[in-house]
Amino acid sequence: MSPSEPAPAWSPGFDEHRRAQAGFGLRLTPAQRLRWLEETMATLRRWQGRAREAEKGARDRR
């Protein structure tokens, strides 16, 4: 989604939201999907590192 596009209006409810997200993904080109996957994996790796640091800090404080 480019900055000039308006944010989509999500319907309430889990199923409607899931369908809207799937539709958004299907509108992406293969290159955009790959970029999304790479960015998501990088974010998850950073979060995993933070979770491990927090867990280690909690053990050290005991």
Side-chain angles (χ1 to χ4, degrees):
M1 182 166 70
S2 70
S4 61
E5 292 179 33
W10 302 115
S11 299
F14 178 77
D15 288 333
E16 292 85 1
H17 181 75
R18 183 178 49 82
R19 277 190 224 103
Q21 290 291 345
F24 176 73
L26 291 173
R27 288 188 298 274
L28 297 175
T29 66
Q32 290 170 322
R33 288 181 198 169
L34 179 59
R35 181 177 175 152
W36 173 86
L37 176 61
E38 290 171 340
E39 290 174 354
T40 300
M41 293 302 296
T43 299
L44 291 174
R45 285 186 191 105
R46 285 193 307 271
W47 289 354
Q48 181 182 26
R50 288 182 183 168
R52 287 182 178 167
E53 289 172 9
E55 184 179 285
K56 181 182 174 195
R59 282 194 306 252
D60 292 345
R61 283 182 257 158
R62 291 183 194 171

